[in-house]
Amino acid sequence: MNDLELGVIGNCAVAALIDRDARVLWYCLPRFDGDPVFHALLGAPKDASDDGVFAIELEDHVHSWQSYVENTAVLQTELHGKQGSLRITDFAPRLFWRERLFYPQAIVRRLTPISGSPRIRIRLRPRFDYGASAPIRTYGSHHIRYVGPSATIRLTTNAPIDFIRDETFFNLRAPIDLILGPDETLQEGVVETAGRLEERTTDYWRNWTHRLAIPFEFQDAVIRAAVTLKLCTYEPTGAIVAALTTSIPEGPGTQRNWDYRFCWLRDSYFVVRALNRLSAVRKMENYFRWLMNVVASLHETDIQPVYGIGLESALVERTVPGLPGYRGMGPVRVGNQAYEHSQHDNCGNVILGVAQMFVDRRLLSPPGHEDFLRLEELGRKALQLYDKPDAGMWEYRTRASIHTTSSLMCWAAADRLARIAGHIGETQRAGEWRSHADRMKQVILERSWSHKRQSFVESFDGEFLDAGVLLMTEVGFIDPHDPRMAATVKQLEKVLGRGPHMMRYEAADDFGMPGTAFNTCSFWRIDALARMGRVEEAREYFEEMLKLRNRLGLMSEDVDPKTGEMWGNYPQTYSLVGIVNCAMRLTRSWESVT
């Protein structure tokens, strides 16, 4: 059973999740972290158990087939029945219009009969306030308005309005178009509008993927991961969300249900780095714009690990009583308490996320000297905090330690500042930051190494293992061939390895012992093995991880190592980053393949 067999459509402003039977199960407005007007992924209120969905139902449905139009974010689903079949083409418009990008808060569904005499029913049941409010419906000759307490959405269509209103089965004898978006009148007919939007949206995505620098091997996996990573970026501000969903548990019945529709500085660094490797540098420029707004506010408050996509700082966590949760496994949470945490690795995550900006000559808006001075403020915070307790990258809610990964990223802040300073001609500052980085490195090497465990461990003077220390090679802290790193990998594989999978950590957390493997850690291990020269092992594990993707090539956050079932929020940018990074690391040159 895998309920996360979902396609993603989006346009870097809104996104929707669609299952293999062409049901829109998740769609938030006015942006990723907004009210889910379609929320069936997390269930529905008891008194409206069939609501929160936008379904195209085929009478006598037998089977379905789903795929993306090659190199695009345009999704096609075929429904096949005893009487006939149809194709549903789904997308969120993203195109150039009047010399600017156009990405409305809208989705388009185009229905085309492909055989026989298919009989269909259109079931469009949005709700508002996380399922608490049913809309008021008003009708026109070619549209239905759904009026909620704080928003109104409009369906414009050439389908019979009566059939949609009454959810009547009818014969699909000719193509039908459905455009769901703002409460605005179309400037052209619905057929002309939908056709033009599909053509130009398809062209946009093909042109975007055409410019990617992809590896020779694993091309399909990398392209799908890259497109989906882009769909998790919010164009108006440059923010990058960790995932498009909230409250899909990390494992069955665990209560580890979190809202991931926000911008974590840590996750965003890895996304930007992965897209940079594919030469998709515009995302870096957009993220830099968002990030420097965060940095500019630091005189008012300490840096947070996570912000809203519109730079909101208070992400107050609450539970939604009306929705039962994914497969009935509540609670459904909105907001994330992590914004209150002290996580010292954020200093490094910010600087790592923008360091390339200072050396990349392709950029249209490169950073200036003032930007470097602002980053130095973060560097000074890193110097103060690298050996102080925090909640760590795994965001423990009830305990604090001097976490090795937090200290590592503080070192990375000083190291990159030294490199940036040298590049921009600040020789004296470069020397000062190099001196700080060297001092921090010595402390980290001494205090994070456990002679008892023969491994780098999760915290200074600690003894528990943590897969996060694999990032030591990722950020250039230690040579992957260093005997201490080899010993660490050996211990991590022995204790945390589950075949191709890796658990996050050895010690119990606030909810006990995790039962699912964290995909990101599995990819970190693959990358570390490749760096150490264990390339064939790395390739074997990577190919096993690729098999865990759903049929559309996407991944969630976690996986049951015994069954391969996906868990956790979806699609998870961390996991998609792992696909890109490992593919780039492991690919062979086409000249070397006979």
Side-chain angles (χ1 to χ4, degrees):
M1 181 177 182
N2 196 343
D3 291 342
L4 295 181
E5 193 70 51
L6 303 172
V8 180
I9 61 170
N11 61 6
C12 303
V14 293
L17 303 185
I18 304 172
D19 73 4
R20 72 185 74 179
D21 294 328
R23 297 181 302 165
V24 179
L25 302 182
W26 188 254
Y27 180 53
C28 298
L29 290 173
R31 60 187 198 183
F32 302 145
D33 58 351
D35 185 16
V37 295
F38 301 126
H39 51 67
L41 183 64
L42 299 182
K46 291 182 180 179
D47 61 346
S49 59
D50 293 327
D51 284 6
V53 68
F54 185 179
I56 310 298
E57 298 178 352
L58 176 65
E59 191 174 65
D60 297 324
H61 177 224
V62 175
H63 66 90
S64 58
W65 171 88
Q66 193 174 56
S67 70
Y68 283 102
V69 175
E70 188 175 23
N71 295 348
T72 76
V74 178
L75 184 68
Q76 292 189 330
T77 308
E78 290 186 4
L79 302 180
H80 296 268
K82 297 178 181 178
Q83 300 179 62
S85 59
L86 73 150
R87 177 184 305 110
I88 301 104
T89 300
D90 289 307
F91 62 95
R94 182 175 173 87
L95 57 138
F96 283 99
W97 183 62
R98 294 181 179 176
E99 299 183 353
R100 66 180 179 88
L101 269 174
F102 179 58
Y103 42 88
Q105 297 165 355
I107 57 175
V108 179
R109 315 201 73 185
R110 309 197 74 194
L111 282 54
T112 306
I114 55 178
S115 70
S117 300
R119 285 179 55 80
I120 67 165
R121 175 170 66 178
I122 299 171
R123 198 154 57 87
L124 178 53
R125 294 189 177 186
R127 289 183 73 88
F128 296 89
D129 296 333
Y130 286 84
S133 302
I136 297 171
R137 298 188 296 178
T138 65
Y139 304 93
S141 57
H142 295 289
H143 73 265
I144 305 176
R145 298 170 70 244
Y146 299 85
V147 183
S150 58
T152 298
I153 56 177
R154 177 191 291 239
L155 175 75
T156 305
T157 181
N158 56 344
I161 292 296
D162 297 47
F163 291 167
I164 298 176
R165 180 191 62 205
D166 300 332
E167 297 184 354
T168 303
F169 275 102
F170 65 96
N171 294 325
L172 182 66
R173 300 188 181 278
I176 282 177
D177 293 308
L178 306 152
I179 301 177
L180 185 70
D183 187 22
E184 301 170 355
T185 302
L186 297 181
Q187 298 301 307
E188 299 179 287
V190 65
V191 176
E192 294 79 10
T193 300
R196 174 173 53 83
L197 291 177
E198 180 184 357
E199 179 182 4
R200 296 179 69 176
T201 297
T202 301
D203 288 345
Y204 171 85
W205 286 109
R206 284 177 172 163
N207 287 329
W208 187 79
T209 56
H210 176 73
R211 297 191 296 269
L212 294 177
I214 61 173
F216 167 65
E217 296 184 284
F218 317 113
Q219 292 187 35
D220 290 340
V222 169
I223 289 173
R224 184 51 47 202
V227 169
T228 311
L229 286 173
K230 185 175 176 66
L231 293 180
C232 292
T233 66
Y234 185 64
E235 186 80 28
T237 66
I240 304 169
V241 295
L244 294 172
T245 59
T246 178
S247 304
I248 300 179
E250 295 176 7
T254 61
Q255 303 287 304
R256 304 170 193 265
N257 302 16
W258 315 118
D259 192 346
Y260 273 14
R261 300 171 297 164
F262 307 114
C263 189
W264 269 262
L265 303 181
R266 178 186 311 112
D267 301 49
S268 298
Y269 154 64
F270 286 103
V271 172
V272 167
R273 184 173 181 274
L275 290 176
N276 285 348
R277 297 186 74 177
L278 299 173
S279 295
V281 296
R282 184 176 178 185
K283 287 295 109 184
M284 177 173 61
E285 293 184 276
N286 289 348
Y287 178 61
F288 178 77
R289 173 165 49 93
W290 181 89
L291 197 55
M292 292 311 291
N293 278 310
V294 172
V295 174
S297 69
L298 292 184
H299 64 281
E300 303 167 3
T301 182
D302 287 336
I303 192 168
Q304 298 176 187
V306 59
Y307 292 85
I309 57 181
L311 290 171
E312 296 85 1
S313 57
L315 307 175
V316 178
E317 187 175 302
R318 62 185 176 90
T319 59
V320 176
L323 297 179
Y326 178 75
R327 288 165 56 174
M329 299 177 190
V332 172
R333 290 189 172 95
V334 178
N336 200 301
Q337 185 207 347
Y339 82 94
E340 299 178 323
H341 291 183
S342 293
Q343 295 177 27
H344 303 331
D345 62 325
N346 293 308
C347 299
N349 291 322
V350 170
I351 295 172
L352 283 166
V354 302
Q356 183 177 328
M357 294 281 293
F358 288 87
V359 301
D360 197 324
R361 294 185 178 274
R362 296 170 294 175
L363 306 184
L364 299 176
S365 302
H369 194 266
E370 288 299 316
D371 294 313
F372 171 71
L373 295 180
R374 291 191 182 98
L375 293 178
E376 280 196 312
E377 295 181 30
L378 271 183
R380 285 188 281 272
K381 286 182 178 288
L383 293 178
Q384 298 169 3
L385 298 173
Y386 85 99
D387 59 352
K388 303 297 189 297
D390 74 343
M393 70 181 301
W394 304 124
E395 300 180 342
Y396 297 115
R397 296 191 168 203
T398 59
R399 70 173 188 261
S401 301
I402 306 173
H403 289 99
T404 300
T405 50
S406 297
S407 302
L408 172 69
M409 291 303 179
C410 287
W411 167 85
D415 176 78
R416 282 1 180 232
L417 284 172
R419 296 171 189 261
I420 294 170
H423 184 78
I424 65 175
E426 291 282 358
T427 306
Q428 181 177 346
R429 278 191 162 95
E432 292 171 355
W433 283 112
R434 177 53 56 207
S435 177
H436 291 315
D438 290 345
R439 176 174 56 84
M440 295 163 74
K441 182 174 184 176
Q442 189 60 36
V443 173
I444 295 169
L445 287 172
E446 290 177 358
R447 298 193 61 187
S448 67
W449 175 257
S450 168
H451 290 282
K452 176 182 177 182
R453 302 300 299 272
Q454 285 296 294
S455 175
F456 292 112
V457 290
E458 70 157 3
S459 58
F460 280 15
D461 309 316
E463 61 177 274
F464 293 113
L465 301 182
D466 186 327
V469 301
L470 292 169
L471 291 174
M472 287 181 164
T473 59
E474 169 82 14
V475 300
F477 178 80
I478 191 171
D479 189 306
H481 299 285
D482 188 294
R484 290 167 294 186
M485 201 64 214
T488 297
V489 171
K490 180 179 180 180
Q491 283 290 84
L492 291 173
E493 290 186 303
K494 178 181 177 181
V495 177
L496 301 180
R498 305 287 188 275
H501 310 289
M502 285 289 284
M503 310 300 285
R504 278 183 283 185
Y505 36 75
E506 180 181 21
D509 60 20
D510 307 322
F511 295 85
M513 292 298 298
T516 53
F518 197 61
N519 290 327
T520 300
C521 296
S522 302
F523 288 122
W524 288 345
R525 172 211 201 173
I526 292 166
D527 186 78
L529 292 177
R531 290 172 185 267
M532 296 168 62
R534 296 167 57 182
V535 177
E536 290 308 313
E537 287 179 81
R539 287 181 65 92
E540 179 181 343
Y541 286 141
F542 184 52
E543 289 169 358
E544 288 298 313
M545 291 298 295
L546 289 180
K547 294 176 184 177
L548 297 173
R549 297 172 300 154
N550 65 21
R551 289 185 289 184
L552 293 169
L554 305 182
M555 297 186 80
S556 63
E557 180 185 37
D558 306 271
V559 66
D560 185 323
K562 296 179 180 178
T563 66
E565 184 176 6
M566 291 194 292
W567 291 91
N569 282 305
Y570 176 92
Q572 177 73 13
T573 55
Y574 245 159
S575 300
L576 299 172
V577 163
I579 292 173
V580 173
N581 287 343
C582 290
M584 298 295 280
R585 174 75 56 192
L586 293 169
T587 186
R588 293 171 291 194
S589 167
W590 68 270
E591 292 101 331
S592 67
V593 179
T594 57

